[in-house]
Amino acid sequence: MKNLRINNRFTAELPADPEMTNEIRQVKNTLFSYVNPTKPSNPKLIHASEDVAGMVGISKEEIQSEDFLNVFSGKEVLPDTQPYAMCYAGHQFGNWAGQLGDGRAINLTEVENKNQFYTLQLKGAGKTPYSRTADGLAVLRSSIREYLCAEAMYHLGVPTTRSLSLILSGDQVLRDILYNGNPAYEKGAVVCRVAPSFIRFGSFEMLTARNELRNLKQFVEYTIKHYFPEIQGEPKEQYLQFFQKVADATRKMIVDWQRVGFVHGVMNTDNMSVHGITIDYGPYGWLEDYDPNWTPNTTDSQNRRYQFGNQPQVAQWNLYQLANALYPLLNEAEPLEKILEAFMNDFKSDYKNMFLSKLGLFTSTETDDQLIEDLETTLQLTETDMTIFFRNLSLIEKSDFAPEAIEKIKHAFYKNEEVNGEILESWTKWFSDYLERLKAKTLSDEERSVKMNLVNPKYVLRNYMAQLAIDAADKEDYSLIDELYTVLQKPYDDQPEYEKWFAKRPDWARTKVGCSMLSCSS
Ligand code: AMP
Ligand code: MG
């Protein structure tokens, strides 16, 4: 890989763990530990993204090389690099969890290409000092989910880590999928993912919790210098601006999640990137029937902390924890609190604009809040597929009457027979209001439809789609991974040849593990 330009800033500038043994422990006063990936026994490349490879400086031809397979499976270390696991802490499900760290992630190196910096990170390449009680490995199932979803999100325009490669390790991994005492062996896999950095809210929380304030200051300044170079001024002013920028990026990411119906599933503070990109694809899910209370994560089924409708509030709560972590550098709570308060107001306004764009309304009127609220309620009266509903909404014409409009979106209903009586009345009422609004002052039908189709995807990685790809891959058939990867590169295009993926969740997937229920165990 002759064009990979190694440029390690994180390890060159920040304090390393002096201890080189790969033993599980508390790692104090440092930000990372050097650790080599565990060698896989028989790696095999399943998929690689040419797009991401090109982005970091790897050619198409190089993807097929022995070198690529060896480096991105963890079998060999790139010359002039020293892999490392990052030390961070975090709040999990609202509780302080202390040191977490990269328990199954190993950063290979940072590279520079076209004036951009990228960290290349393996997930599932074996134990690190942060593996706690687990094995540091990842199974094929969860690796396919991470690999495909990150790329799907990217092409949807949602800020995210990218996926470079998906490689079978050739080793078996023991997992108890639902934590119910039924462990089974599964195929192991390693994903290489790519991001500007993998710095998390929890990276800063750890330093403050341990009162390592010199490291905290150094780390915040490091992050600003390399990732927010536009921030200038007095140190305290800079720290505040940094917090503001993280809050802004996080808010934009959540607006996008709500727009496409993505439920992260484990919004712990260790899974929140300071770049406002989606990281750590675990028990995530896609909203199928529009239900703000839905969470894909079985670990969270009691409290539903991370349900779809709660993601904005949780983001704010997580930012609160980041504010607490930055507080010792400022010794002033008020300016941080101001930013936190503004977060929710700004979110509401961005959310409204986003929702209006989904409706094809690109300017706002007084009655729009009511129109949005009514739609959110109506969508919940009977199971209604979010993606199909919004996509087909672009078919509606100003000259339609409510029954014609309902006809155009009715493919989104899971139980057509329920759309009767009061439910039908509610839909008729909503569409009458909507049609009136469309007639009042909006774009032409054609223009509106084109614009709506740029914000309302036709194809998302429905939970059952990922599961079908997983089931086939388990039998060594990787064609579905290829197909989904391809269709999800153009989620807003009609792609009639892939129409079969513009479909509601089939009945078998309703309660199947992996399709509607997932756990953190991956
Ligand atoms: P997650 O909720 O998946 O982000 O994981 C929370 C913490 O557990 C992180 O520190 C992970 O690195 C660690 N972890 C999760 N799965 C494993 C595993 N299989 N082996 C080691 N550590 C893990
Ligand atoms: Mg994580």
Side-chain angles (χ1 to χ4, degrees), residues 52-53 55-56 72 111 117-121 160-165 191-198 277 279:
V52 179
M55 180 178 89
V56 301
F72 296 111
V111 295
F117 282 79
Y118 304 100
T119 301
L120 310 182
Q121 185 185 76
T160 176
T161 56
R162 302 287 308 268
S163 306
L164 173 63
S165 56
V191 166
C192 178
R193 54 185 188 173
V194 178
S197 88
F198 288 90
I277 58 177
I279 49 170

Side-chain angles (χ1 to χ4, degrees), residues 92 100-104 131-132 134-137 175 270-271 280:
Q92 297 184 311
L100 295 165
D102 287 333
R104 60 171 160 173
S131 296
R132 297 182 294 154
D135 56 12
L137 302 174
R175 284 290 180 274
D270 54 305
N271 291 337
D280 283 10

Side-chain angles (χ1 to χ4, degrees), residues 17-38:
D17 175 7
E19 174 88 50
M20 298 296 268
T21 53
N22 188 3
E23 270 164 27
I24 291 163
R25 56 199 144 88
Q26 290 293 306
V27 182
K28 301 215 168 126
N29 253 310
T30 68
L31 279 148
F32 65 96
S33 306
Y34 288 113
V35 58
N36 279 341
T38 300

Side-chain angles (χ1 to χ4, degrees), residues 483-503:
E483 181 170 335
L484 295 182
Y485 179 86
T486 307
V487 63
L488 294 169
Q489 283 195 321
K490 291 180 179 157
Y492 300 103
D493 286 8
D494 259 330
Q495 305 190 78
E497 66 277 30
Y498 292 121
E499 195 76 19
K500 69 170 175 196
W501 300 121
F502 182 56

